[in-house]
Amino acid sequence: AEDGIRDRDVTGVQTCALPIYRAVTASDYETLLSANFSDIQAISVYGGEDMNPPRYGRVIISVDVAGAEGAPLSRKQTFYEFIKDRSPLTIQPEFVDPDFLYVHVSTDVSYNINTTTKTTTDIASAVRAAISSYNTTNLNKFKTTLYYSAMCAQIDHADASVIGNDTTVTIAKRIYPTVGVKFQSVVDTHNALSIESSLEMSGGSIHYGHTLTSTYITYQGNQAIIIDDAQGNILAATTSGSTVVATQKIGTIDYETGRLSFTNAVFDSYEGSYIELYLIPRAKNITAKQNTIIVVNDEDVTVNVVGVRR
């Protein structure tokens, strides 16, 4: 590193740049593990003091191996045994699973039908390929940022006939509660969330926010979704057509930090293997911190194409 100084080590001491045989700095851990295990395709290392709450005396390691989401327990044990022997005696390595932050993309694309013989289906396929390429090149690993303008530019360049696009992004998190058991968990997006601004609570009229929604669940025997009330509360809300009625407070949401805390939820059932939570980010750029990986899956992309004459 510059001037012979590497990044701050996990004990807070600066060290000279020497051949790496033992792990002292965060980059040492990353280099040693990546160099010795070829199946590691992404790795993030940071001090336990950066966690919430802090875990002093620990170095936190998150790995994503090829062919899996995260790493199997057996591989993490192998990684641990390797790096433990190369760590300072006062530092305890701790492996945590990657925290996947899924992003749903919806884009309305306009193209000039006078400059191409391609169909709307052709253009939609090209746009999907462009978004997939952006995900592969820029995301799907630790410590990345989804830059909204860059992704929109890639959509515009999907085909020469594309005139422009109107694109929205939504954060999605997955939770895996045990049916019939009280669910207590913290879900962290690490991104500030949108807040409803024109809230009217007077006259007995209650307006529920739309920062948080979810896939359908069964709650207290009724079909329901999970919503927020724009006041920092998470609610289970029954649904009947277009009518939404809050049933019970089941947690809190911090719009500034993007952290959701579930404290009092017992779900009767839900479809599939997880409940998906949809959240509107405050900023269009979405950032991955610590052990977070941003992913835009092909099935989470909606493309609407309109041909215009110019």
Side-chain angles (χ1 to χ4, degrees), residues 65-77:
V65 301
E69 283 198 346
L73 183 59
S74 59
R75 292 302 289 155
K76 286 189 289 187
Q77 183 62 32

Side-chain angles (χ1 to χ4, degrees), residues 2 4 15 28 47 68 78 80 133-134 136 141 144 214 221 246 253 271:
E2 189 173 323
T15 55
D28 290 345
T78 299
Y80 171 81
S133 175
Y134 182 85
T136 301
K141 49 185 173 285
T144 60
S214 75
I253 178 171
E271 295 182 1

